[in-house]
Amino acid sequence: MASSAPSTISPALARRIALAAQGFGRPRPATVGTRQLNGLIDRIGLLQIDSVNVFERSHYLPVFARLGAYDKGQLDALTMRSRAPHTEYVAHEAAFVRREDRPLFQWRMDAMRRRYGTGTEAWDASHGRTARWLLDELAANGPMAASDIEHEENVRKGPWWGWSEVKRTLELLFRFGDVAIAGRNRFERRYALPEQVFASSVLETRVETTDAVRELVRRSVRALGIGTLSDIADYYRLKSVPTQAALADLEDAGEVSRVAVPGWERAGRPAPVWLATDARLPRRVQASALLSPFDPIVWERARALRMFGLDYRIEIYTPAPKRVYGYYVLPVLQDDRIVARVDLKSDRQAGVLIVRSAWAEAEADDETPARLAALLREAAEWQGLSAVQVRERGTLARELAAAQS
């Protein structure tokens, strides 16, 4: 516990603290229901959203990593239905957060409005007319998807995923807080006026920026367990100066303490590290998990490198000939080490989970292939797939294929 925590934390213990704070190392529940799902989201604070569906959409994966197989429909009921207890905002990036947490992000809405210049000639010239029309449409018709809105500007522009003027404007209004998300239908956002989504008690709540940042920092430290200033600020994408001020307040209140972690230097000097006073200090962590690229364990690349020795980047937007590991590559956690990474694809038509490549990390051991093979079979079953197929690419592919047979 906090009072007995040493002033110097070994890198291995720091790793275990971080994993325990994120919900790893606990026995998996016999069944996963609403209580377990809500408890997990409350523990990690948010579920980051990403639309890539080659294996599984990102927000489903942290739950599977920590709780095992579960009914995705139950998570949809908590996050994507019109009256779900969670809603969307730009928390880290776009993420599901508690509906009642909206006031904690009012300062960000205001900052977004200032950044993109609403009310200026530039805004009025490029988006103003469309914005006013869209707000009138939502007021008259209630929640709508961008694809449901008839307008001469509602056509996709540019290559690939280029948004229409309607979609771009809706997204800006969402960031400003003038529009809210009233759930999703087939993963497409449904936009609405805030009063069509939130209770008046939520909309009327005002939280001073200093208080909101302090609360977000408190949640960051609790979710991370231990972290540097940059780790803690990054969790909710806060600025360093207000994060440092909030940490000083929390330290005075006894909610965090400063510790040292050898090897966590910055510019050759020890980096200040904060420990949550109620963080667990486990002697060991037992886990076997596939980590989404947007899982809090690995989403901050400098932290992943410092903590796990994992040099990781997402190669989705890298041209195929230049990719090193693959398209949708997931790090593999075994106990308190990241031992491998796998490029996965769910071939739903054939009913097969395809391992397009598998790579061993320095921490891999003799048990890695068999444990990963078992995890992939579990993932395939959760996805409703009947088989796992390992292709011959990567330093772990041959051993993993043998373990699957």
Side-chain angles (χ1 to χ4, degrees), residues 72-279:
K72 291 185 292 183
Q74 290 189 329
L75 186 61
D76 291 345
L78 296 178
T79 56
M80 292 201 288
R81 293 185 183 167
S82 60
R83 293 296 176 184
H86 295 81
T87 187
E88 298 181 36
Y89 194 61
V90 186
H92 179 77
E93 294 292 337
F96 293 114
V97 295
R98 280 280 184 186
R99 181 184 291 263
E100 59 266 28
D101 288 344
R102 185 182 192 272
L104 294 176
F105 297 99
Q106 185 62 53
W107 61 272
R108 176 163 287 161
M109 296 173 190
D110 296 340
M112 290 280 191
R113 192 185 301 276
R114 290 191 299 270
R115 177 179 176 183
Y116 292 103
T118 58
T120 67
E121 290 184 11
W123 163 262
D124 284 336
S126 58
H127 301 288
R129 185 171 68 91
T130 303
R132 289 187 289 272
W133 181 83
L134 284 168
L135 293 173
D136 288 344
E137 284 291 294
L138 295 175
N141 301 314
M144 301 175 72
S147 60
D148 294 331
I149 298 175
E150 299 289 344
H151 193 274
E152 66 269 17
E153 295 292 344
N154 197 19
V155 292
R156 293 166 70 92
K157 297 180 181 179
W160 194 36
W161 55 275
W163 285 348
S164 69
E165 174 64 13
V166 163
K167 176 68 172 177
R168 283 198 300 270
T169 305
L170 284 167
E171 285 294 310
L172 285 170
L173 291 171
F174 164 58
R175 281 158 174 76
F176 303 158
D178 294 336
V179 159
I181 306 303
R184 290 183 179 235
N185 184 20
R186 295 195 178 97
F187 206 66
E188 185 180 12
R189 278 175 167 165
R190 298 176 70 245
Y191 300 89
L193 300 181
E195 56 268 29
Q196 295 168 339
V197 175
F198 296 100
S200 58
S201 58
V202 173
L203 294 177
E204 291 166 6
T205 297
R206 293 290 179 265
V207 181
E208 293 296 325
T209 299
T210 300
D211 296 332
V213 170
R214 187 187 304 111
E215 178 57 27
L216 292 173
V217 169
R218 177 184 287 113
R219 296 183 186 196
S220 300
V221 178
R222 184 180 65 203
L224 292 169
I226 188 170
T228 64
L229 175 64
S230 61
D231 295 340
I232 295 163
D234 177 73
Y235 207 84
Y236 286 102
R237 294 290 167 87
L238 305 171
K239 301 281 188 187
S240 294
V241 171
T243 300
Q244 193 153 25
L247 283 167
D249 289 346
L250 295 175
E251 190 172 9
D252 289 342
E255 296 186 47
V256 302
S257 59
R258 258 188 239 217
V259 297
V261 181
W264 285 23
E265 283 79 20
R266 184 181 61 192
R269 295 161 58 179
V273 178
W274 284 265
L275 174 72
T277 57
D278 59 354

Side-chain angles (χ1 to χ4, degrees), residues 287-289 332-334 339-340 358 364-378 388 390 396-405:
S288 183
V332 178
L333 177 72
Q334 290 181 355
V339 299
D365 59 25
D366 291 343
E367 295 182 1
T368 294
R371 292 183 67 182
L372 177 54
L375 176 60
L376 291 170
R377 287 192 292 270
E378 182 187 3
V388 178
V390 183
L396 191 61
R398 183 171 297 179
E399 291 175 89
L400 181 59
Q404 285 288 350
S405 59

Side-chain angles (χ1 to χ4, degrees), residues 308-335:
F308 296 100
L310 179 72
D311 188 2
Y312 181 54
R313 71 170 186 165
I314 304 170
E315 297 183 272
I316 292 171
Y317 306 115
T318 302
K322 295 184 178 181
R323 289 180 195 137
V324 176
Y325 295 102
Y327 180 74
Y328 198 73
V329 176
L330 287 80
V332 178
L333 177 72
Q334 290 181 355
D335 301 331

